[in-house]
Amino acid sequence: MNKVLEYISDLEDTGNYKPADIIPIHVIREGKVFYNTVSAGTGSFLDSDEYEMISSPDIPEAATFGVYVDGDSMEPIYHNKDLIWIEQTACLDDGEIGIFYLDGNAYVKKFQNNRLGTYLVSLNKKYDPIPVTENSSFKIFGRVLS
């Protein structure tokens, strides 16, 4: 070990030694991607055990599952047929984007929960916010990670 350290010191003194560039190693993660889509529009039904397993370095570490977007209401950030990764959670903060069940349909929307009420809000301004009322059947599936 001492000989190696001595050799490195000699190389550094001559200017012929420099530390190697660190090459990042991508961690390949595996995640479930459901065939059913979530609506970025008027709503779609999310109820399926059909999925495929995908392996990719692009899957966020906290992702529980992935789904595809159907529609344009979340443009310009999320587009029709985009794969989005979800962290399963039952709670979201005001302003977070998530996956929701509302009255029989599944949506990807921005969650608005403040003094003005509770709404599912599209990023595309051509869509009106969808109110969540006390009579609604409502559930938060999770937080959109990507």
Side-chain angles (χ1 to χ4, degrees), residues 110-121:
K110 184 165 81 171
F111 185 56
Q112 179 182 307
N113 187 29
N114 55 36
R115 63 179 177 74
L116 300 174
T118 303
Y119 293 89
L120 301 182
V121 180

Side-chain angles (χ1 to χ4, degrees), residues 1-145:
M1 182 65 139
N2 288 336
K3 282 289 190 189
V4 169
L5 294 174
E6 184 180 317
Y7 183 65
I8 290 172
S9 179
D10 289 345
L11 286 174
E12 286 175 331
D13 291 343
T14 65
N16 293 328
Y17 172 82
K18 67 175 184 166
D21 294 330
I22 296 174
I23 300 170
I25 298 174
H26 296 287
V27 175
I28 304 294
R29 292 190 179 83
E30 191 171 69
K32 290 181 185 177
V33 176
F34 287 90
Y35 292 127
N36 285 34
T37 59
V38 290
S39 178
T42 58
S44 62
F45 191 70
L46 182 64
D47 182 22
S48 174
D49 289 330
E50 295 184 23
Y51 61 87
E52 64 179 310
M53 294 300 290
I54 291 182
S55 298
S56 170
D58 298 326
I59 299 173
E61 187 174 350
T64 310
F65 64 94
V67 290
Y68 289 98
V69 173
D70 180 27
D72 66 350
S73 77
M74 294 304 286
E75 290 181 358
I77 296 178
Y78 304 105
H79 301 276
N80 188 41
K81 299 188 190 272
D82 277 355
L83 172 59
I84 55 176
W85 292 101
I86 312 302
E87 174 187 15
Q88 190 169 356
T89 182
C91 298
L92 290 178
D93 292 329
D94 181 47
E96 288 190 289
I97 296 176
I99 301 296
F100 307 93
Y101 169 88
L102 178 63
D103 296 330
N105 291 306
Y107 297 92
V108 56
K109 299 287 181 194
K110 184 165 81 171
F111 185 56
Q112 179 182 307
N113 187 29
N114 55 36
R115 63 179 177 74
L116 300 174
T118 303
Y119 293 89
L120 301 182
V121 180
S122 299
L123 300 179
N124 186 333
K125 298 301 179 198
K126 75 179 186 180
Y127 293 90
D128 293 329
I130 303 168
V132 179
T133 68
E134 59 188 37
N135 297 324
S136 297
S137 177
F138 178 71
K139 180 180 179 180
I140 297 171
F141 282 122
R143 175 181 299 109
V144 175
L145 299 174

